[in-house]
Amino acid sequence: MYAQMIKSEASQEDPEQLEAFQARIDAGMKIEPKDWMPEGYRKTLIRQIGQHAHSEIVGQLPEGNWITRAPTLERKAILLAKVQDEAGHGLYLYCAAETLGVTRDDLTRDLLSGKMKYSSIFNYPTLTWADMGAVGWLVDGAAIMNQVPLQRTSYGPYARAMVRICKEESFHQRQGYDIMMKMANGTPAQRKMAQDALNRFWYPSLMMFGPSDKDSVHSAQSMAWKIKMNTNDELRQKFVDQTVPQAEYLGLTVPDEHLKWNEETGHYDFSEPDWSEFYDVLKGSGPCNTERLEARNKAWDDGRWVREGLLAHAAKKRAAKVAAE
């Protein structure tokens, strides 16, 4: 449906403008907010950047759950700083989306209504402290795999926002791996906890790259516009190739009995995630879908007085400025 809508919009636009726009993309030039762009390009960016921003904000919830229960003061300070980073990432991305003519309030309302999504991974619970390790190592590791190429994406504000985000995400991944190292080299109970976290987050992390290329409705056009730089399956394979040796170094076992190194391809063969589970979570049937949206709706409602106060103050300042002129 979305792909058909994009094609329909393209058919109504000036072919010469479309050709010139694609030529700029192919030449590696950045598209800036005041440049002409196809409506389909703008809408695709709003969808992708908006969902990315929502994921950063919702992603604070499973981690924020452990701030008060971190095992040491140092771990608490590190986790608190990480959650603050995620809030900043959401801010950068909302600002990038606003350059496309959509407001932050519009994006938030679309999230709260279910019209816009966020990464399916955040609909899984964090049950133990080891999950903070798995989230940093696997979830942020998958995020980095997705996001590093986006520093070269064709839309300037998005590409520039990703530079700082990727630098901070690299620290998040290291923080998670450090937790897993401590757990894997700890007591038998801690090692068991680390293995359990890996077991539960492995396949949801593979799902973070989106559906298989053959089932992805957005990838072809997004890659032609260089909004995306790699296919879902390419990034998923790269993630597996990088992460399996890390698990082996920890002495942990990836929960995939079919996982093996393929000498011929130079990559690991691995089992596909359960895509029916992926689509169920996207539709709202994940373990924490309801809880996550309830938390965001509560934050939106509780913060209404702050937003209204800031708007009233801004209006008062504008009125005073006009009166003084």
Side-chain angles (χ1 to χ4, degrees):
M1 180 67 72
Y2 183 84
Q4 292 174 346
M5 179 183 70
I6 296 297
K7 289 179 181 178
S8 175
E9 289 169 344
S11 67
Q12 299 172 20
E13 291 170 323
D14 184 346
E16 290 186 2
Q17 278 188 309
L18 289 171
E19 185 176 344
F21 177 82
Q22 189 62 51
R24 291 190 65 191
I25 297 289
D26 295 341
M29 298 175 66
K30 294 294 185 207
I31 306 301
E32 299 298 339
K34 292 185 178 180
D35 295 338
W36 182 87
M37 63 187 73
E39 186 62 14
Y41 178 84
R42 188 183 75 86
K43 288 183 176 179
T44 298
L45 280 169
I46 289 173
R47 177 187 60 81
Q48 181 168 323
I49 299 174
Q51 291 181 0
H52 191 167
H54 296 328
S55 297
E56 298 285 356
I57 298 303
V58 176
Q60 297 175 96
L61 298 174
E63 293 178 311
N65 183 46
W66 279 92
I67 290 175
T68 59
R69 295 184 286 164
T72 68
L73 180 60
E74 181 183 22
R75 290 294 186 189
K76 177 181 288 192
I78 293 170
L79 184 57
L80 183 60
K82 182 185 178 187
V83 172
Q84 289 175 322
D85 282 350
E86 307 295 3
H89 298 174
L91 175 62
Y92 306 150
L93 292 164
Y94 284 133
C95 289
E98 285 177 321
T99 65
L100 293 159
V102 63
T103 70
R104 202 170 311 180
D105 285 358
D106 289 337
L107 293 171
T108 302
R109 291 189 187 98
D110 284 347
L111 168 68
L112 300 181
S113 69
K115 182 178 178 181
M116 289 192 81
K117 305 297 183 182
Y118 52 87
S119 180
S120 60
I121 191 72
F122 300 120
N123 288 312
Y124 291 86
T126 48
L127 303 177
T128 71
W129 174 251
D131 288 8
M132 292 300 93
V135 167
W137 171 37
L138 299 176
V139 176
D140 291 326
I144 291 169
M145 203 66 68
N146 268 316
Q147 293 170 7
V148 166
L150 292 177
Q151 295 174 102
R152 297 180 286 110
T153 193
S154 61
Y155 189 57
Y158 193 19
R160 291 188 288 273
M162 293 313 305
V163 173
R164 179 166 180 174
I165 290 174
C166 286
K167 288 180 180 178
E168 293 178 347
E169 290 288 1
S170 68
F171 282 102
H172 298 174
Q173 196 269 350
R174 293 174 201 173
Q175 171 258 1
Y177 195 68
D178 182 67
I179 292 175
M180 296 300 279
M181 284 182 64
K182 290 290 192 296
M183 302 290 284
N185 292 307
T187 66
Q190 289 172 323
R191 187 177 184 82
K192 182 178 179 181
M193 197 182 296
Q195 182 64 59
D196 175 65
L198 171 56
N199 292 347
R200 287 183 288 107
F201 275 93
W202 175 253
Y203 284 107
S205 295
L206 294 186
M207 295 177 193
M208 286 181 66
F209 298 97
S212 177
D213 292 343
K214 66 180 184 299
D215 299 318
S216 177
V217 297
H218 305 302
S219 286
Q221 183 60 74
S222 290
M223 291 190 67
W225 279 331
K226 295 187 179 178
I227 293 174
K228 285 181 64 173
M229 309 303 291
N230 301 89
T231 71
N232 297 347
D233 288 340
E234 286 173 351
L235 292 171
R236 193 170 8 254
Q237 182 69 65
K238 188 176 180 181
F239 173 76
V240 172
D241 290 346
Q242 175 180 290
T243 307
V244 170
Q246 294 173 350
E248 292 174 348
Y249 180 81
L250 293 173
L252 301 178
T253 303
V254 173
D256 181 355
E257 62 182 12
H258 300 296
L259 180 72
K260 64 178 181 179
W261 178 254
N262 188 320
E263 290 287 352
E264 186 175 336
T265 64
H267 299 287
Y268 282 96
D269 294 333
F270 61 96
S271 300
E272 288 283 310
D274 180 353
W275 291 115
S276 62
E277 177 183 329
F278 172 75
Y279 288 112
D280 283 344
V281 173
L282 284 186
K283 292 175 184 176
S285 301
C288 296
N289 285 70
T290 300
E291 179 183 338
R292 301 293 185 242
L293 281 180
E294 283 179 351
R296 292 305 304 137
N297 272 286
K298 185 177 186 303
W300 178 255
D301 293 339
D302 289 350
R304 178 172 285 110
W305 69 274
V306 178
R307 296 192 303 275
E308 291 175 351
L310 289 171
L311 289 171
H313 179 66
K316 184 177 180 180
K317 286 184 68 175
R318 283 196 300 270
K321 184 178 180 181
V322 171
E325 290 177 347

